[in-house]
Amino acid sequence: MKEYKVRHRGRFFQTLIYLGKFFRMFLFQNDWKVLPMAAVIAGLVAFSVGQNIYKTMEGTLMGTFAISCICIWNGFFNSIQVICRERAIVKREHRSGLHISSYVAAHMIYQAFLCILQVVITIGVCMLMRVEIPHKSLITPWAVVDFGLTLFLITYCADMLALLISAFAKTTTTAMTIMPFLLIVQLLFSGAFFNLPQEAMPLTNLTATKWGLTALCAQGEYNSLPMVSVWNSALKMKDVEVEGEKPLLTVFREIESNNMRDDLLMKTGELNQNHDYDFDPAIVLRCWIWLLMWTVVYVILTVLLLESIDKDKR
Protein backbone atom coordinates (compact mmCIF):
# COMPACT_ATOMS: atom_id res chain seq x y z
CA MET A 1 0.00 0.00 0.00
CA LYS A 2 1.38 3.43 -0.93
CA GLU A 3 1.76 5.92 1.85
CA TYR A 4 0.10 8.84 0.06
CA LYS A 5 -3.09 6.78 -0.33
CA VAL A 6 -3.31 6.17 3.40
CA ARG A 7 -2.67 9.78 4.43
CA HIS A 8 -5.86 11.24 2.98
CA ARG A 9 -8.39 8.48 3.58
CA GLY A 10 -10.87 8.10 6.42
CA ARG A 11 -11.23 5.14 8.71
CA PHE A 12 -13.85 3.38 6.60
CA PHE A 13 -11.83 3.48 3.40
CA GLN A 14 -8.65 2.47 5.20
CA THR A 15 -10.49 -0.55 6.61
CA LEU A 16 -11.58 -1.55 3.09
CA ILE A 17 -8.07 -1.08 1.70
CA TYR A 18 -6.51 -3.29 4.37
CA LEU A 19 -9.31 -5.82 4.07
CA GLY A 20 -8.55 -6.13 0.38
CA LYS A 21 -4.89 -6.59 1.20
CA PHE A 22 -5.64 -9.40 3.67
CA PHE A 23 -7.84 -11.25 1.19
CA ARG A 24 -5.13 -10.99 -1.45
CA MET A 25 -2.71 -12.47 1.06
CA PHE A 26 -5.24 -15.24 1.68
CA LEU A 27 -5.25 -16.11 -2.01
CA PHE A 28 -1.68 -15.48 -3.07
CA GLN A 29 0.48 -15.88 0.06
CA ASN A 30 -0.89 -19.23 1.25
CA ASP A 31 -2.85 -17.89 4.23
CA TRP A 32 -5.57 -20.31 3.10
CA LYS A 33 -3.48 -23.17 4.48
CA VAL A 34 -5.13 -22.73 7.90
CA LEU A 35 -8.31 -24.26 6.41
CA PRO A 36 -7.00 -27.73 5.45
CA MET A 37 -5.08 -27.74 8.75
CA ALA A 38 -8.40 -27.20 10.56
CA ALA A 39 -9.87 -30.17 8.68
CA VAL A 40 -6.94 -32.42 9.61
CA ILE A 41 -7.09 -31.46 13.29
CA ALA A 42 -10.86 -31.96 13.40
CA GLY A 43 -10.47 -35.36 11.76
CA LEU A 44 -7.83 -36.50 14.25
CA VAL A 45 -9.92 -35.38 17.24
CA ALA A 46 -13.10 -36.94 15.83
CA PHE A 47 -11.28 -40.22 15.28
CA SER A 48 -9.76 -40.18 18.78
CA VAL A 49 -12.58 -39.01 21.06
CA GLY A 50 -15.65 -38.64 18.85
CA GLN A 51 -17.16 -42.05 19.55
CA ASN A 52 -18.76 -41.25 22.91
CA ILE A 53 -19.34 -37.52 22.78
CA TYR A 54 -22.95 -36.65 23.69
CA LYS A 55 -23.54 -40.32 24.51
CA THR A 56 -21.98 -40.60 27.97
CA MET A 57 -20.97 -38.04 30.59
CA GLU A 58 -17.30 -38.97 30.40
CA GLY A 59 -17.28 -39.02 26.61
CA THR A 60 -19.04 -35.67 26.46
CA LEU A 61 -16.62 -34.01 28.87
CA MET A 62 -13.60 -35.34 27.01
CA GLY A 63 -15.09 -34.63 23.59
CA THR A 64 -16.17 -31.06 24.33
CA PHE A 65 -12.76 -30.38 25.85
CA ALA A 66 -11.13 -31.68 22.67
CA ILE A 67 -13.43 -29.62 20.43
CA SER A 68 -12.65 -26.52 22.51
CA CYS A 69 -8.96 -27.27 22.01
CA ILE A 70 -9.52 -27.45 18.23
CA CYS A 71 -11.07 -23.99 18.32
CA ILE A 72 -8.29 -22.55 20.48
CA TRP A 73 -5.62 -24.05 18.24
CA ASN A 74 -7.28 -22.73 15.06
CA GLY A 75 -7.72 -19.26 16.52
CA PHE A 76 -4.13 -19.04 17.71
CA PHE A 77 -2.66 -20.08 14.39
CA ASN A 78 -4.85 -17.68 12.44
CA SER A 79 -3.32 -14.49 13.81
CA ILE A 80 -0.33 -15.17 16.05
CA GLN A 81 2.10 -13.75 13.44
CA VAL A 82 -0.01 -11.37 11.36
CA ILE A 83 0.98 -8.09 13.03
CA CYS A 84 4.52 -8.78 14.16
CA ARG A 85 5.55 -9.94 10.67
CA GLU A 86 4.64 -6.50 9.23
CA ARG A 87 5.35 -4.36 12.27
CA ALA A 88 7.76 -2.08 10.41
CA ILE A 89 5.17 -1.46 7.69
CA VAL A 90 2.45 -0.64 10.23
CA LYS A 91 4.78 1.80 12.02
CA ARG A 92 5.67 3.57 8.79
CA GLU A 93 2.09 3.81 7.57
CA HIS A 94 0.84 4.96 10.98
CA ARG A 95 3.23 7.90 10.73
CA SER A 96 1.76 8.61 7.30
CA GLY A 97 -1.83 8.75 8.52
CA LEU A 98 -2.98 5.17 9.13
CA HIS A 99 -5.72 4.87 11.73
CA ILE A 100 -4.91 1.93 14.00
CA SER A 101 -8.62 1.33 14.61
CA SER A 102 -9.09 0.82 10.85
CA TYR A 103 -6.16 -1.57 10.68
CA VAL A 104 -7.45 -3.64 13.61
CA ALA A 105 -11.04 -3.53 12.29
CA ALA A 106 -9.84 -4.98 8.98
CA HIS A 107 -8.09 -7.76 10.88
CA MET A 108 -11.25 -8.42 12.90
CA ILE A 109 -13.40 -8.80 9.77
CA TYR A 110 -10.84 -10.94 7.97
CA GLN A 111 -10.22 -13.15 11.00
CA ALA A 112 -13.99 -13.57 11.49
CA PHE A 113 -14.14 -14.83 7.90
CA LEU A 114 -11.40 -17.38 8.61
CA CYS A 115 -13.06 -18.49 11.86
CA ILE A 116 -16.42 -19.04 10.17
CA LEU A 117 -14.82 -21.20 7.49
CA GLN A 118 -12.95 -23.21 10.13
CA VAL A 119 -16.14 -23.79 12.12
CA VAL A 120 -17.99 -24.95 9.00
CA ILE A 121 -15.11 -27.29 8.17
CA THR A 122 -14.98 -28.64 11.74
CA ILE A 123 -18.71 -29.35 11.85
CA GLY A 124 -18.57 -30.87 8.35
CA VAL A 125 -15.73 -33.21 9.32
CA CYS A 126 -17.57 -34.24 12.51
CA MET A 127 -20.72 -35.05 10.54
CA LEU A 128 -18.73 -36.90 7.90
CA MET A 129 -17.13 -39.04 10.60
CA ARG A 130 -20.50 -39.73 12.28
CA VAL A 131 -19.69 -37.75 15.41
CA GLU A 132 -22.77 -36.95 17.46
CA ILE A 133 -23.64 -33.27 17.71
CA PRO A 134 -26.43 -31.67 19.80
CA HIS A 135 -29.85 -32.21 18.26
CA LYS A 136 -31.91 -29.89 20.49
CA SER A 137 -31.65 -26.12 20.17
CA LEU A 138 -31.57 -23.65 23.04
CA ILE A 139 -31.12 -20.21 21.45
CA THR A 140 -31.85 -20.40 17.73
CA PRO A 141 -34.37 -22.67 16.00
CA TRP A 142 -31.55 -24.95 14.81
CA ALA A 143 -29.29 -26.93 17.13
CA VAL A 144 -26.43 -27.01 14.63
CA VAL A 145 -26.47 -23.19 14.51
CA ASP A 146 -26.27 -23.00 18.31
CA PHE A 147 -23.37 -25.46 18.19
CA GLY A 148 -21.65 -23.52 15.42
CA LEU A 149 -22.03 -20.18 17.22
CA THR A 150 -20.33 -21.62 20.28
CA LEU A 151 -17.45 -22.95 18.19
CA PHE A 152 -17.15 -19.61 16.40
CA LEU A 153 -17.05 -17.59 19.63
CA ILE A 154 -14.36 -19.85 21.11
CA THR A 155 -12.27 -19.67 17.92
CA TYR A 156 -12.71 -15.92 17.50
CA CYS A 157 -11.88 -15.21 21.15
CA ALA A 158 -8.65 -17.22 20.81
CA ASP A 159 -7.97 -15.47 17.51
CA MET A 160 -8.22 -12.01 19.08
CA LEU A 161 -5.98 -13.10 21.98
CA ALA A 162 -3.37 -14.23 19.44
CA LEU A 163 -3.79 -10.91 17.61
CA LEU A 164 -3.00 -9.14 20.88
CA ILE A 165 0.14 -11.24 21.33
CA SER A 166 1.12 -10.50 17.73
CA ALA A 167 0.80 -6.78 18.45
CA PHE A 168 2.96 -7.15 21.57
CA ALA A 169 5.67 -9.52 20.36
CA LYS A 170 8.90 -8.17 18.88
CA THR A 171 9.24 -10.88 16.25
CA THR A 172 7.36 -13.85 14.83
CA THR A 173 9.75 -16.10 16.74
CA THR A 174 8.76 -14.45 20.02
CA ALA A 175 5.08 -14.76 19.17
CA MET A 176 5.42 -18.46 18.38
CA THR A 177 7.32 -18.94 21.63
CA ILE A 178 4.54 -17.33 23.66
CA MET A 179 1.78 -19.31 21.93
CA PRO A 180 2.48 -22.74 23.55
CA PHE A 181 2.41 -21.12 26.99
CA LEU A 182 -0.99 -19.56 26.25
CA LEU A 183 -2.25 -22.87 24.91
CA ILE A 184 -1.19 -24.70 28.08
CA VAL A 185 -2.94 -22.07 30.21
CA GLN A 186 -6.12 -22.49 28.17
CA LEU A 187 -5.98 -26.28 28.58
CA LEU A 188 -5.08 -26.46 32.27
CA PHE A 189 -7.58 -23.82 33.35
CA SER A 190 -10.55 -25.16 31.43
CA GLY A 191 -12.29 -25.58 34.79
CA ALA A 192 -13.59 -29.11 34.35
CA PHE A 193 -11.17 -31.53 32.77
CA PHE A 194 -8.37 -31.09 35.32
CA ASN A 195 -8.74 -31.09 39.10
CA LEU A 196 -7.50 -27.67 40.18
CA PRO A 197 -7.04 -26.32 43.72
CA GLN A 198 -10.09 -24.40 44.85
CA GLU A 199 -8.13 -21.16 45.08
CA ALA A 200 -7.19 -21.52 41.39
CA MET A 201 -10.78 -21.90 40.15
CA PRO A 202 -11.39 -18.12 39.67
CA LEU A 203 -8.59 -18.16 37.09
CA THR A 204 -10.71 -20.42 34.87
CA ASN A 205 -12.94 -17.41 34.15
CA LEU A 206 -10.05 -15.93 32.18
CA THR A 207 -10.00 -18.74 29.60
CA ALA A 208 -12.10 -19.34 26.51
CA THR A 209 -11.96 -23.09 27.10
CA LYS A 210 -13.93 -22.82 30.36
CA TRP A 211 -16.84 -20.95 28.74
CA GLY A 212 -16.68 -22.94 25.53
CA LEU A 213 -16.66 -26.30 27.28
CA THR A 214 -19.51 -25.24 29.58
CA ALA A 215 -21.67 -24.10 26.66
CA LEU A 216 -20.96 -27.27 24.65
CA CYS A 217 -21.82 -29.51 27.60
CA ALA A 218 -25.05 -27.60 28.27
CA GLN A 219 -26.05 -27.80 24.60
CA GLY A 220 -25.45 -31.55 24.61
CA GLU A 221 -27.69 -32.20 27.67
CA TYR A 222 -24.78 -33.41 29.77
CA ASN A 223 -26.91 -34.01 32.88
CA SER A 224 -29.29 -36.33 31.06
CA LEU A 225 -26.54 -38.73 29.98
CA PRO A 226 -25.41 -41.97 31.65
CA MET A 227 -22.11 -42.29 33.50
CA VAL A 228 -20.17 -45.43 32.60
CA SER A 229 -16.82 -45.06 34.40
CA VAL A 230 -18.09 -46.52 37.69
CA TRP A 231 -19.56 -49.54 35.91
CA ASN A 232 -16.43 -50.09 33.80
CA SER A 233 -14.16 -49.83 36.82
CA ALA A 234 -16.25 -52.32 38.78
CA LEU A 235 -16.44 -54.64 35.78
CA LYS A 236 -12.67 -55.01 35.83
CA MET A 237 -13.02 -56.63 39.26
CA LYS A 238 -15.65 -59.17 38.29
CA ASP A 239 -13.22 -62.10 38.55
CA VAL A 240 -11.94 -61.17 42.01
CA GLU A 241 -12.42 -64.17 44.31
CA VAL A 242 -13.61 -63.93 47.90
CA GLU A 243 -13.43 -67.22 49.78
CA GLY A 244 -13.42 -69.14 46.52
CA GLU A 245 -16.37 -67.30 45.02
CA LYS A 246 -16.80 -64.39 42.61
CA PRO A 247 -19.51 -62.24 44.19
CA LEU A 248 -19.13 -59.33 41.76
CA LEU A 249 -19.49 -61.64 38.77
CA THR A 250 -22.74 -62.95 40.24
CA VAL A 251 -24.03 -59.42 40.74
CA PHE A 252 -23.14 -58.37 37.19
CA ARG A 253 -24.87 -61.42 35.75
CA GLU A 254 -27.96 -60.66 37.82
CA ILE A 255 -28.02 -57.04 36.66
CA GLU A 256 -27.63 -57.94 33.00
CA SER A 257 -30.10 -60.82 33.09
CA ASN A 258 -32.73 -58.40 34.41
CA ASN A 259 -31.84 -55.68 31.89
CA MET A 260 -30.94 -53.29 34.71
CA ARG A 261 -27.60 -52.13 33.32
CA ASP A 262 -28.89 -49.06 31.50
CA ASP A 263 -31.02 -48.03 34.47
CA LEU A 264 -27.99 -48.34 36.73
CA LEU A 265 -25.85 -46.22 34.40
CA MET A 266 -28.54 -43.53 34.25
CA LYS A 267 -28.84 -43.54 38.04
CA THR A 268 -25.08 -43.16 38.34
CA GLY A 269 -25.32 -40.21 35.98
CA GLU A 270 -28.07 -38.61 38.08
CA LEU A 271 -25.86 -38.83 41.16
CA ASN A 272 -23.00 -37.08 39.36
CA GLN A 273 -24.80 -34.22 37.67
CA ASN A 274 -23.12 -30.84 37.37
CA HIS A 275 -25.68 -28.06 37.34
CA ASP A 276 -23.22 -25.76 35.57
CA TYR A 277 -24.02 -27.91 32.52
CA ASP A 278 -27.82 -27.86 32.77
CA PHE A 279 -29.73 -27.76 29.50
CA ASP A 280 -30.59 -24.11 30.01
CA PRO A 281 -30.44 -21.20 27.50
CA ALA A 282 -29.35 -18.85 30.30
CA ILE A 283 -26.17 -20.90 30.79
CA VAL A 284 -25.31 -20.85 27.09
CA LEU A 285 -26.01 -17.12 26.82
CA ARG A 286 -23.82 -16.44 29.85
CA CYS A 287 -20.97 -18.38 28.24
CA TRP A 288 -21.41 -16.50 24.96
CA ILE A 289 -21.36 -13.16 26.80
CA TRP A 290 -18.11 -14.06 28.60
CA LEU A 291 -16.50 -15.09 25.32
CA LEU A 292 -17.63 -11.86 23.66
CA MET A 293 -16.42 -9.83 26.63
CA TRP A 294 -12.91 -11.27 26.48
CA THR A 295 -12.87 -10.79 22.71
CA VAL A 296 -13.66 -7.09 23.14
CA VAL A 297 -10.99 -6.75 25.87
CA TYR A 298 -8.34 -8.28 23.60
CA VAL A 299 -9.31 -5.97 20.71
CA ILE A 300 -9.16 -2.84 22.88
CA LEU A 301 -5.75 -3.82 24.26
CA THR A 302 -4.50 -4.49 20.73
CA VAL A 303 -5.56 -1.02 19.58
CA LEU A 304 -3.96 0.63 22.63
CA LEU A 305 -0.69 -1.21 22.05
CA LEU A 306 -0.52 -0.28 18.38
CA GLU A 307 -1.45 3.36 19.00
CA SER A 308 1.93 3.77 20.68
CA ILE A 309 3.81 1.97 17.92
CA ASP A 310 5.65 5.19 16.91
CA LYS A 311 7.39 5.16 20.29
CA ASP A 312 8.46 1.55 19.80
CA LYS A 313 12.25 1.34 19.38
CA ARG A 314 12.17 -2.32 18.36
Side-chain angles (χ1 to χ4, degrees), residues 274-295:
N274 184 339
H275 293 295
D276 289 338
Y277 304 149
D278 282 343
F279 188 66
D280 185 347
I283 290 175
V284 176
L285 284 174
R286 184 175 74 246
C287 293
W288 288 2
I289 290 170
W290 271 94
L291 289 168
L292 285 170
M293 183 194 72
W294 284 120
T295 300

Side-chain angles (χ1 to χ4, degrees), residues 96-113:
S96 301
L98 169 66
H99 295 290
I100 293 299
S101 57
S102 299
Y103 177 72
V104 175
H107 270 301
M108 291 175 65
I109 297 170
Y110 174 67
Q111 295 301 328
F113 165 77

Side-chain angles (χ1 to χ4, degrees), residues 27 49 74 88 111 124 132 178 194-195 286 291 299 306:
L27 293 174
V49 299
N74 287 339
Q111 295 301 328
E132 186 84 10
I178 296 173
F194 297 99
N195 292 322
R286 184 175 74 246
L291 289 168
V299 170
L306 291 180

